[in-house]
Amino acid sequence: MFPLRLLALIFVSSATVDPSPEEEKEKQDDEEEKSRYDLVFMRGDLLEVPRTLFTHFGIYLGGGRVAHFIPDIMPVVSTNQFRLKQMVSNTRLILGVLAKAGSVRVDSVEDFAYGAEIILNPMDKMCSCAVLQGEEAARRAEKLLGDVAYSLLWYNCEHFVMYCRYGTVMSFQTFQFCKTVRKLLLSRGVAKVTAVLAACLLVYLRVLNTWSVLLAVLLPFLLWMAS
């Protein structure tokens, strides 16, 4: 954890600056402009934005604000509220994934979307669970605000929004990833290659005893049966 904190202090802290009066005024103007999103989204809506390698999810809270769960190293290395509220950079995100640290935070719709197209409530037709009331979904999201342990596979942004809107903790992205890995690793072709490699390794190392032969046969057999 210490190397990650050191990297964060070097690459993240150096990039933060105090806001100027002009920036503060622009921020106030933006707050008034964000209310227009209330005409498009309802409180408790699930928002989806496609990214390069994954899809990001959030819950709309109203007033142009979105609650979303994102990996972030900053809560581990700083307590400065201004730095914590700044938009999460790629450096902060990557270090957060490695450190398994994240936070449920509130950002503007613009910062959440990051220039991508927003898809509204895409899971309503995919999930078999009933959709909770919008107010209930938003309240669940607000109750979870703060630092949360992050897992790329077992608890990510999709798990968060699924709990808030449908009352279940699951991720279609994780399911699809595990399904793909299973097809790649647990296949008959992999079992055959493993058997050949194991036999070649035994001959090369000249280790032909009961236990080595058993292991060389058992691993390909398990892969074959699991395929």
Side-chain angles (χ1 to χ4, degrees):
M1 185 64 71
F2 176 75
L4 291 175
R5 292 189 178 190
L6 181 60
L7 286 172
L9 290 173
I10 294 174
F11 292 104
V12 178
S13 298
S14 60
T16 58
V17 294
D18 294 331
S20 64
E22 292 78 8
E23 290 175 337
E24 289 290 347
K25 185 177 184 303
E26 290 179 0
K27 184 177 180 181
Q28 293 177 357
D29 294 338
D30 289 341
E31 291 297 330
E32 298 178 359
E33 185 179 358
K34 288 172 185 176
S35 61
R36 74 181 189 274
Y37 286 109
D38 290 337
L39 301 176
V40 182
F41 308 127
M42 296 182 62
R43 181 170 163 84
D45 277 346
L46 189 155
L47 308 185
E48 173 185 315
V49 289
R51 299 288 172 84
T52 304
L53 299 177
F54 60 93
T55 302
H56 192 47
F57 300 89
I59 297 293
Y60 186 69
L61 300 180
R65 300 173 302 124
V66 181
H68 60 128
F69 182 33
I70 189 169
D72 185 10
I73 191 64
M74 185 60 74
V76 178
V77 300
S78 176
T79 58
N80 186 298
Q81 291 300 313
F82 173 70
R83 290 179 176 177
L84 292 174
K85 291 180 180 179
Q86 285 186 318
M87 187 173 67
V88 178
S89 63
N90 289 333
T91 301
R92 286 172 59 174
L93 188 147
I94 293 173
L95 293 176
V97 171
L98 296 177
K100 293 186 176 295
S103 63
V104 177
R105 53 183 286 140
V106 176
D107 283 313
S108 67
V109 173
E110 291 88 350
D111 289 345
F112 166 76
Y114 205 64
E117 178 187 2
I118 298 177
I119 304 174
L120 181 63
N121 297 324
M123 299 295 187
D124 287 0
K125 297 180 180 180
M126 300 173 58
C127 184
S128 59
C129 299
V131 179
L132 298 177
Q133 293 292 330
E135 185 61 32
E136 174 63 20
R139 286 178 180 175
R140 288 189 175 206
E142 290 168 341
K143 287 181 180 179
L144 293 175
L145 292 177
D147 302 342
V148 182
Y150 183 88
S151 173
L152 193 61
L153 290 180
W154 311 123
Y155 195 70
N156 55 42
C157 61
E158 189 173 3
H159 293 94
F160 164 71
V161 298
M162 291 295 288
Y163 166 75
C164 293
R165 187 165 175 83
Y166 308 104
T168 183
V169 181
M170 63 174 296
S171 170
F172 290 104
Q173 290 185 107
T174 297
F175 175 79
Q176 188 61 43
F177 174 80
C178 294
K179 185 178 179 180
T180 302
V181 171
R182 180 183 180 278
K183 287 183 178 180
L184 293 175
L185 298 181
L186 303 180
S187 65
R188 295 184 178 183
V190 172
K192 293 176 182 179
V193 171
T194 303
V196 173
L197 291 177
C200 294
L201 186 63
L202 289 178
V203 173
Y204 177 77
L205 296 178
R206 297 179 181 179
V207 182
L208 297 175
N209 55 51
T210 303
W211 291 107
S212 61
V213 173
L214 180 62
L215 290 175
V217 173
L218 184 60
L219 181 58
F221 173 76
L222 292 176
L223 291 174
W224 179 271
M225 296 303 296
S227 63

